[in-house]
Amino acid sequence: MHDDAALPLRDLVDALYRQESRRVLATLIRLLGDFDRAEEALHDAFAAAVEQWRRDGVPANPRAWLVSTGRFKAIDNLRRRVRFDASLEQIARQLEIDSQAAEEDAEELQDDRLRLIFTCCHPALAPDAQVPLTLREICDLKTEEIARAYLVTPATIAQRIVRAKTKIRDTKIPYQVPSQAELPERLASVLRVIYLVFNEGYSASSGDSLTRTDLCAEAIRLGRLLLELLPEPEVMGLLALMLLHDSRRKARTDEHGELVLLEDQDRSLWNREQIDEGRQLIARALAGQGFGPYCLQAAISAVHSAATDVASTDWEQIVGLYDALLRIQPSPVIELNRAVALAMRDGPQAGLDVVDAILERGDLADYHLAHAARADFCRRLGRTDEARESYRKALELTRQEPERRFLEQRLRELM
């Protein structure tokens, strides 16, 4: 085959990597019992695909081919190393027996990515490592992206991930969904993981696009799987929250990819099917007992979805829901969001007072949305110099191009 004919194949393999690599990796971790061995097998399998599919054609089930090839590559690699370490022969032999049986039963087993999430969120792991590890392994987020979500350095995130993998290997943490009795105590970490995955998709931490649709869809899919496994109020609340947020996706940018604020969005573009499903879920969740922060956040989003425009939004109810949310989950980010709602109810000075208090405490000093909110309140109050200063600070901190262009436009309007 000529080189120019090979280009479509490489494009296909690249697309498959984007779409399937996390699924293949999760299955390889289950089959091989080791993160590093599975990651090496994953890359070996995709490298083999480029070579062999060019010669033999693309298989009918590419994902199954990649899993099988990765498994064989890992076992072959172990056997090649036997001359340096004879103990690897027994490992390779047992691995071949165990993984063959596991692969044959794969169709009857629960989703491997859900299994992997519970492994990454095992209580034996440090809480500050559970979410970064899962974001890295399940969603292939770079350490830089995860670091921005955590507001820490990439080196810190990398160290947490390495320590977590070592702990899983050394303590032989099982790769399985917990028993029904164990599920509730493990749930909080898993919900946090899924929500961070969604947030990275809904408002990408960097890059040319405001959203990453693949991550939003993945988080919603994982939320549905979790709801099947454990139909608890907070699971319903998280799924409702993601559906209600995602329902606005088409209206959040214009035809040129530019950011459109909630107050300016064409609400006819909102996905009514997702809104209806989300509202039904949150109604079910709030009717029961044990609801928490995800349910309250979903309730806030449901109030927004019920309004035909910003003017008709029930800001009194939204502020009240934020008050309840702050009581059970104190957070400067939630305070910031409440400040925005407060400004809509009581005017921009009320919002500015709250944001200034947050910043004076030293909280959110490196969070661009805090400075953007302050800039907007100052702009609405006619305090132009302060607005320009805050917009410039927000611009220094944001790494997402649509947000940068929006802030630059706001700044130009004040010149």
Side-chain angles (χ1 to χ4, degrees), residues 190-218:
V190 174
L191 292 176
R192 188 168 66 250
V193 168
I194 295 175
Y195 193 37
L196 273 176
V197 173
F198 180 82
N199 277 339
E200 179 61 30
Y202 186 71
S203 184
S205 57
S206 63
D208 296 331
S209 298
L210 182 67
T211 60
R212 291 179 60 179
T213 305
D214 56 333
L215 290 182
C216 289
E218 176 67 7

PDB file of all heavy atoms in Angstrom, residues 190-218:
ATOM      1  N   VAL A 190     -16.683   8.325  44.157  1.00  0.00           N
ATOM      2  CA  VAL A 190     -17.063   8.023  42.777  1.00  0.00           C
ATOM      3  C   VAL A 190     -17.896   9.155  42.186  1.00  0.00           C
ATOM      4  O   VAL A 190     -17.686   9.566  41.041  1.00  0.00           O
ATOM      5  CB  VAL A 190     -17.826   6.681  42.716  1.00  0.00           C
ATOM      6  CG1 VAL A 190     -18.356   6.427  41.315  1.00  0.00           C
ATOM      7  CG2 VAL A 190     -16.910   5.540  43.134  1.00  0.00           C
ATOM      8  N   LEU A 191     -18.827   9.685  42.961  1.00  0.00           N
ATOM      9  CA  LEU A 191     -19.626  10.819  42.475  1.00  0.00           C
ATOM     10  C   LEU A 191     -18.731  12.012  42.174  1.00  0.00           C
ATOM     11  O   LEU A 191     -18.925  12.711  41.165  1.00  0.00           O
ATOM     12  CB  LEU A 191     -20.678  11.202  43.520  1.00  0.00           C
ATOM     13  CG  LEU A 191     -21.798  10.191  43.762  1.00  0.00           C
ATOM     14  CD1 LEU A 191     -22.695  10.662  44.895  1.00  0.00           C
ATOM     15  CD2 LEU A 191     -22.619   9.959  42.503  1.00  0.00           C
ATOM     16  N   ARG A 192     -17.751  12.255  43.030  1.00  0.00           N
ATOM     17  CA  ARG A 192     -16.844  13.382  42.819  1.00  0.00           C
ATOM     18  C   ARG A 192     -16.049  13.196  41.527  1.00  0.00           C
ATOM     19  O   ARG A 192     -15.843  14.143  40.764  1.00  0.00           O
ATOM     20  CB  ARG A 192     -15.907  13.519  44.015  1.00  0.00           C
ATOM     21  CG  ARG A 192     -15.042  14.787  43.975  1.00  0.00           C
ATOM     22  CD  ARG A 192     -14.354  15.031  45.296  1.00  0.00           C
ATOM     23  NE  ARG A 192     -13.369  14.017  45.610  1.00  0.00           N
ATOM     24  CZ  ARG A 192     -13.508  13.112  46.572  1.00  0.00           C
ATOM     25  NH1 ARG A 192     -14.618  13.065  47.295  1.00  0.00           N
ATOM     26  NH2 ARG A 192     -12.553  12.234  46.806  1.00  0.00           N
ATOM     27  N   VAL A 193     -15.623  11.969  41.270  1.00  0.00           N
ATOM     28  CA  VAL A 193     -14.886  11.673  40.043  1.00  0.00           C
ATOM     29  C   VAL A 193     -15.741  11.969  38.817  1.00  0.00           C
ATOM     30  O   VAL A 193     -15.329  12.670  37.895  1.00  0.00           O
ATOM     31  CB  VAL A 193     -14.443  10.195  40.012  1.00  0.00           C
ATOM     32  CG1 VAL A 193     -13.948   9.811  38.630  1.00  0.00           C
ATOM     33  CG2 VAL A 193     -13.352   9.948  41.035  1.00  0.00           C
ATOM     34  N   ILE A 194     -16.942  11.418  38.807  1.00  0.00           N
ATOM     35  CA  ILE A 194     -17.818  11.582  37.640  1.00  0.00           C
ATOM     36  C   ILE A 194     -18.120  13.063  37.410  1.00  0.00           C
ATOM     37  O   ILE A 194     -18.126  13.537  36.266  1.00  0.00           O
ATOM     38  CB  ILE A 194     -19.111  10.767  37.821  1.00  0.00           C
ATOM     39  CG1 ILE A 194     -18.786   9.270  37.858  1.00  0.00           C
ATOM     40  CG2 ILE A 194     -20.096  11.055  36.698  1.00  0.00           C
ATOM     41  CD1 ILE A 194     -19.979   8.381  38.164  1.00  0.00           C
ATOM     42  N   TYR A 195     -18.325  13.805  38.499  1.00  0.00           N
ATOM     43  CA  TYR A 195     -18.641  15.227  38.346  1.00  0.00           C
ATOM     44  C   TYR A 195     -17.448  16.010  37.802  1.00  0.00           C
ATOM     45  O   TYR A 195     -17.611  16.917  36.981  1.00  0.00           O
ATOM     46  CB  TYR A 195     -19.099  15.793  39.688  1.00  0.00           C
ATOM     47  CG  TYR A 195     -19.733  17.168  39.579  1.00  0.00           C
ATOM     48  CD1 TYR A 195     -20.539  17.496  38.498  1.00  0.00           C
ATOM     49  CD2 TYR A 195     -19.525  18.130  40.556  1.00  0.00           C
ATOM     50  CE1 TYR A 195     -21.135  18.750  38.401  1.00  0.00           C
ATOM     51  CE2 TYR A 195     -20.104  19.383  40.472  1.00  0.00           C
ATOM     52  CZ  TYR A 195     -20.914  19.681  39.389  1.00  0.00           C
ATOM     53  OH  TYR A 195     -21.492  20.923  39.288  1.00  0.00           O
ATOM     54  N   LEU A 196     -16.249  15.664  38.243  1.00  0.00           N
ATOM     55  CA  LEU A 196     -15.078  16.345  37.703  1.00  0.00           C
ATOM     56  C   LEU A 196     -14.873  16.017  36.225  1.00  0.00           C
ATOM     57  O   LEU A 196     -14.456  16.870  35.448  1.00  0.00           O
ATOM     58  CB  LEU A 196     -13.825  15.978  38.499  1.00  0.00           C
ATOM     59  CG  LEU A 196     -13.539  16.835  39.725  1.00  0.00           C
ATOM     60  CD1 LEU A 196     -12.336  16.307  40.479  1.00  0.00           C
ATOM     61  CD2 LEU A 196     -13.321  18.296  39.345  1.00  0.00           C
ATOM     62  N   VAL A 197     -15.165  14.786  35.840  1.00  0.00           N
ATOM     63  CA  VAL A 197     -15.098  14.420  34.421  1.00  0.00           C
ATOM     64  C   VAL A 197     -16.078  15.290  33.638  1.00  0.00           C
ATOM     65  O   VAL A 197     -15.742  15.854  32.596  1.00  0.00           O
ATOM     66  CB  VAL A 197     -15.418  12.929  34.224  1.00  0.00           C
ATOM     67  CG1 VAL A 197     -15.519  12.595  32.731  1.00  0.00           C
ATOM     68  CG2 VAL A 197     -14.358  12.053  34.873  1.00  0.00           C
ATOM     69  N   PHE A 198     -17.296  15.399  34.153  1.00  0.00           N
ATOM     70  CA  PHE A 198     -18.299  16.216  33.466  1.00  0.00           C
ATOM     71  C   PHE A 198     -17.865  17.675  33.385  1.00  0.00           C
ATOM     72  O   PHE A 198     -17.996  18.318  32.338  1.00  0.00           O
ATOM     73  CB  PHE A 198     -19.648  16.116  34.174  1.00  0.00           C
ATOM     74  CG  PHE A 198     -20.712  16.948  33.512  1.00  0.00           C
ATOM     75  CD1 PHE A 198     -21.382  16.469  32.401  1.00  0.00           C
ATOM     76  CD2 PHE A 198     -21.013  18.214  33.982  1.00  0.00           C
ATOM     77  CE1 PHE A 198     -22.342  17.246  31.770  1.00  0.00           C
ATOM     78  CE2 PHE A 198     -21.971  19.001  33.354  1.00  0.00           C
ATOM     79  CZ  PHE A 198     -22.641  18.510  32.238  1.00  0.00           C
ATOM     80  N   ASN A 199     -17.357  18.209  34.485  1.00  0.00           N
ATOM     81  CA  ASN A 199     -16.947  19.613  34.494  1.00  0.00           C
ATOM     82  C   ASN A 199     -15.849  19.897  33.484  1.00  0.00           C
ATOM     83  O   ASN A 199     -15.837  20.954  32.842  1.00  0.00           O
ATOM     84  CB  ASN A 199     -16.476  20.022  35.893  1.00  0.00           C
ATOM     85  CG  ASN A 199     -17.633  20.389  36.796  1.00  0.00           C
ATOM     86  OD1 ASN A 199     -18.715  20.710  36.332  1.00  0.00           O
ATOM     87  ND2 ASN A 199     -17.418  20.329  38.092  1.00  0.00           N
ATOM     88  N   GLU A 200     -14.907  18.964  33.338  1.00  0.00           N
ATOM     89  CA  GLU A 200     -13.847  19.157  32.343  1.00  0.00           C
ATOM     90  C   GLU A 200     -14.432  19.163  30.937  1.00  0.00           C
ATOM     91  O   GLU A 200     -13.949  19.861  30.058  1.00  0.00           O
ATOM     92  CB  GLU A 200     -12.784  18.068  32.483  1.00  0.00           C
ATOM     93  CG  GLU A 200     -11.654  18.175  31.478  1.00  0.00           C
ATOM     94  CD  GLU A 200     -10.855  19.474  31.581  1.00  0.00           C
ATOM     95  OE1 GLU A 200     -10.752  20.029  32.692  1.00  0.00           O
ATOM     96  OE2 GLU A 200     -10.347  19.938  30.538  1.00  0.00           O
ATOM     97  N   GLY A 201     -15.498  18.393  30.734  1.00  0.00           N
ATOM     98  CA  GLY A 201     -16.147  18.385  29.428  1.00  0.00           C
ATOM     99  C   GLY A 201     -17.031  19.595  29.206  1.00  0.00           C
ATOM    100  O   GLY A 201     -17.062  20.165  28.118  1.00  0.00           O
ATOM    101  N   TYR A 202     -17.753  20.006  30.251  1.00  0.00           N
ATOM    102  CA  TYR A 202     -18.714  21.101  30.115  1.00  0.00           C
ATOM    103  C   TYR A 202     -18.021  22.454  29.997  1.00  0.00           C
ATOM    104  O   TYR A 202     -18.483  23.351  29.317  1.00  0.00           O
ATOM    105  CB  TYR A 202     -19.652  21.099  31.318  1.00  0.00           C
ATOM    106  CG  TYR A 202     -20.781  22.088  31.222  1.00  0.00           C
ATOM    107  CD1 TYR A 202     -21.829  21.894  30.321  1.00  0.00           C
ATOM    108  CD2 TYR A 202     -20.814  23.214  32.044  1.00  0.00           C
ATOM    109  CE1 TYR A 202     -22.869  22.802  30.238  1.00  0.00           C
ATOM    110  CE2 TYR A 202     -21.856  24.120  31.964  1.00  0.00           C
ATOM    111  CZ  TYR A 202     -22.883  23.910  31.057  1.00  0.00           C
ATOM    112  OH  TYR A 202     -23.915  24.812  30.978  1.00  0.00           O
ATOM    113  N   SER A 203     -16.902  22.587  30.682  1.00  0.00           N
ATOM    114  CA  SER A 203     -16.121  23.820  30.607  1.00  0.00           C
ATOM    115  C   SER A 203     -14.655  23.435  30.615  1.00  0.00           C
ATOM    116  O   SER A 203     -14.010  23.395  31.655  1.00  0.00           O
ATOM    117  CB  SER A 203     -16.447  24.735  31.790  1.00  0.00           C
ATOM    118  OG  SER A 203     -15.762  25.966  31.675  1.00  0.00           O
ATOM    119  N   ALA A 204     -14.142  23.112  29.430  1.00  0.00           N
ATOM    120  CA  ALA A 204     -12.788  22.595  29.303  1.00  0.00           C
ATOM    121  C   ALA A 204     -11.791  23.557  29.950  1.00  0.00           C
ATOM    122  O   ALA A 204     -11.914  24.783  29.835  1.00  0.00           O
ATOM    123  CB  ALA A 204     -12.427  22.384  27.837  1.00  0.00           C
ATOM    124  N   SER A 205     -10.801  23.005  30.643  1.00  0.00           N
ATOM    125  CA  SER A 205      -9.864  23.840  31.393  1.00  0.00           C
ATOM    126  C   SER A 205      -8.922  24.619  30.497  1.00  0.00           C
ATOM    127  O   SER A 205      -8.331  25.598  30.907  1.00  0.00           O
ATOM    128  CB  SER A 205      -9.057  22.965  32.361  1.00  0.00           C
ATOM    129  OG  SER A 205      -8.389  21.942  31.661  1.00  0.00           O
ATOM    130  N   SER A 206      -8.776  24.169  29.252  1.00  0.00           N
ATOM    131  CA  SER A 206      -7.906  24.880  28.311  1.00  0.00           C
ATOM    132  C   SER A 206      -8.271  24.450  26.900  1.00  0.00           C
ATOM    133  O   SER A 206      -9.052  23.526  26.692  1.00  0.00           O
ATOM    134  CB  SER A 206      -6.430  24.551  28.582  1.00  0.00           C
ATOM    135  OG  SER A 206      -6.187  23.170  28.384  1.00  0.00           O
ATOM    136  N   GLY A 207      -7.701  25.181  25.929  1.00  0.00           N
ATOM    137  CA  GLY A 207      -7.887  24.771  24.547  1.00  0.00           C
ATOM    138  C   GLY A 207      -8.775  25.701  23.751  1.00  0.00           C
ATOM    139  O   GLY A 207      -9.224  26.748  24.222  1.00  0.00           O
ATOM    140  N   ASP A 208      -9.045  25.294  22.500  1.00  0.00           N
ATOM    141  CA  ASP A 208      -9.779  26.132  21.560  1.00  0.00           C
ATOM    142  C   ASP A 208     -11.291  26.031  21.722  1.00  0.00           C
ATOM    143  O   ASP A 208     -12.019  26.902  21.234  1.00  0.00           O
ATOM    144  CB  ASP A 208      -9.405  25.756  20.118  1.00  0.00           C
ATOM    145  CG  ASP A 208      -7.931  26.034  19.827  1.00  0.00           C
ATOM    146  OD1 ASP A 208      -7.374  26.961  20.460  1.00  0.00           O
ATOM    147  OD2 ASP A 208      -7.352  25.332  18.988  1.00  0.00           O
ATOM    148  N   SER A 209     -11.781  24.962  22.327  1.00  0.00           N
ATOM    149  CA  SER A 209     -13.215  24.746  22.439  1.00  0.00           C
ATOM    150  C   SER A 209     -13.677  24.967  23.870  1.00  0.00           C
ATOM    151  O   SER A 209     -12.967  24.643  24.826  1.00  0.00           O
ATOM    152  CB  SER A 209     -13.581  23.321  22.006  1.00  0.00           C
ATOM    153  OG  SER A 209     -13.238  23.116  20.650  1.00  0.00           O
ATOM    154  N   LEU A 210     -14.891  25.507  23.991  1.00  0.00           N
ATOM    155  CA  LEU A 210     -15.459  25.722  25.319  1.00  0.00           C
ATOM    156  C   LEU A 210     -15.792  24.401  25.985  1.00  0.00           C
ATOM    157  O   LEU A 210     -15.637  24.238  27.195  1.00  0.00           O
ATOM    158  CB  LEU A 210     -16.727  26.577  25.208  1.00  0.00           C
ATOM    159  CG  LEU A 210     -17.430  26.931  26.522  1.00  0.00           C
ATOM    160  CD1 LEU A 210     -16.574  27.855  27.350  1.00  0.00           C
ATOM    161  CD2 LEU A 210     -18.791  27.562  26.239  1.00  0.00           C
ATOM    162  N   THR A 211     -16.262  23.427  25.184  1.00  0.00           N
ATOM    163  CA  THR A 211     -16.701  22.149  25.739  1.00  0.00           C
ATOM    164  C   THR A 211     -15.968  20.994  25.084  1.00  0.00           C
ATOM    165  O   THR A 211     -15.399  21.122  24.005  1.00  0.00           O
ATOM    166  CB  THR A 211     -18.211  21.955  25.521  1.00  0.00           C
ATOM    167  OG1 THR A 211     -18.488  21.978  24.114  1.00  0.00           O
ATOM    168  CG2 THR A 211     -19.010  23.036  26.220  1.00  0.00           C
ATOM    169  N   ARG A 212     -15.996  19.859  25.781  1.00  0.00           N
ATOM    170  CA  ARG A 212     -15.518  18.591  25.231  1.00  0.00           C
ATOM    171  C   ARG A 212     -16.683  17.618  25.349  1.00  0.00           C
ATOM    172  O   ARG A 212     -16.927  17.019  26.388  1.00  0.00           O
ATOM    173  CB  ARG A 212     -14.291  18.093  26.005  1.00  0.00           C
ATOM    174  CG  ARG A 212     -13.054  18.957  25.790  1.00  0.00           C
ATOM    175  CD  ARG A 212     -11.883  18.449  26.593  1.00  0.00           C
ATOM    176  NE  ARG A 212     -11.516  17.086  26.243  1.00  0.00           N
ATOM    177  CZ  ARG A 212     -10.496  16.416  26.812  1.00  0.00           C
ATOM    178  NH1 ARG A 212      -9.786  17.002  27.757  1.00  0.00           N
ATOM    179  NH2 ARG A 212     -10.217  15.198  26.454  1.00  0.00           N
ATOM    180  N   THR A 213     -17.425  17.507  24.223  1.00  0.00           N
ATOM    181  CA  THR A 213     -18.660  16.729  24.226  1.00  0.00           C
ATOM    182  C   THR A 213     -18.422  15.288  24.643  1.00  0.00           C
ATOM    183  O   THR A 213     -19.265  14.676  25.313  1.00  0.00           O
ATOM    184  CB  THR A 213     -19.298  16.771  22.819  1.00  0.00           C
ATOM    185  OG1 THR A 213     -19.469  18.138  22.433  1.00  0.00           O
ATOM    186  CG2 THR A 213     -20.649  16.079  22.812  1.00  0.00           C
ATOM    187  N   ASP A 214     -17.267  14.727  24.266  1.00  0.00           N
ATOM    188  CA  ASP A 214     -16.999  13.329  24.585  1.00  0.00           C
ATOM    189  C   ASP A 214     -16.959  13.097  26.097  1.00  0.00           C
ATOM    190  O   ASP A 214     -17.472  12.094  26.602  1.00  0.00           O
ATOM    191  CB  ASP A 214     -15.683  12.877  23.940  1.00  0.00           C
ATOM    192  CG  ASP A 214     -14.494  13.742  24.343  1.00  0.00           C
ATOM    193  OD1 ASP A 214     -14.684  14.925  24.679  1.00  0.00           O
ATOM    194  OD2 ASP A 214     -13.346  13.234  24.309  1.00  0.00           O
ATOM    195  N   LEU A 215     -16.373  14.043  26.840  1.00  0.00           N
ATOM    196  CA  LEU A 215     -16.288  13.889  28.285  1.00  0.00           C
ATOM    197  C   LEU A 215     -17.653  14.067  28.953  1.00  0.00           C
ATOM    198  O   LEU A 215     -17.982  13.364  29.910  1.00  0.00           O
ATOM    199  CB  LEU A 215     -15.286  14.868  28.877  1.00  0.00           C
ATOM    200  CG  LEU A 215     -13.812  14.607  28.555  1.00  0.00           C
ATOM    201  CD1 LEU A 215     -12.938  15.635  29.249  1.00  0.00           C
ATOM    202  CD2 LEU A 215     -13.396  13.202  28.948  1.00  0.00           C
ATOM    203  N   CYS A 216     -18.454  15.006  28.452  1.00  0.00           N
ATOM    204  CA  CYS A 216     -19.804  15.165  28.995  1.00  0.00           C
ATOM    205  C   CYS A 216     -20.612  13.882  28.798  1.00  0.00           C
ATOM    206  O   CYS A 216     -21.279  13.405  29.722  1.00  0.00           O
ATOM    207  CB  CYS A 216     -20.521  16.332  28.309  1.00  0.00           C
ATOM    208  SG  CYS A 216     -19.890  17.962  28.744  1.00  0.00           S
ATOM    209  N   ALA A 217     -20.537  13.339  27.581  1.00  0.00           N
ATOM    210  CA  ALA A 217     -21.284  12.114  27.284  1.00  0.00           C
ATOM    211  C   ALA A 217     -20.795  10.952  28.141  1.00  0.00           C
ATOM    212  O   ALA A 217     -21.590  10.137  28.625  1.00  0.00           O
ATOM    213  CB  ALA A 217     -21.165  11.775  25.802  1.00  0.00           C
ATOM    214  N   GLU A 218     -19.464  10.875  28.341  1.00  0.00           N
ATOM    215  CA  GLU A 218     -18.899   9.795  29.148  1.00  0.00           C
ATOM    216  C   GLU A 218     -19.359   9.908  30.594  1.00  0.00           C
ATOM    217  O   GLU A 218     -19.731   8.911  31.232  1.00  0.00           O
ATOM    218  CB  GLU A 218     -17.375   9.839  29.075  1.00  0.00           C
ATOM    219  CG  GLU A 218     -16.666   8.823  29.952  1.00  0.00           C
ATOM    220  CD  GLU A 218     -16.880   7.385  29.516  1.00  0.00           C
ATOM    221  OE1 GLU A 218     -17.470   7.165  28.445  1.00  0.00           O
ATOM    222  OE2 GLU A 218     -16.458   6.487  30.261  1.00  0.00           O
TER     223      GLU A 218
END
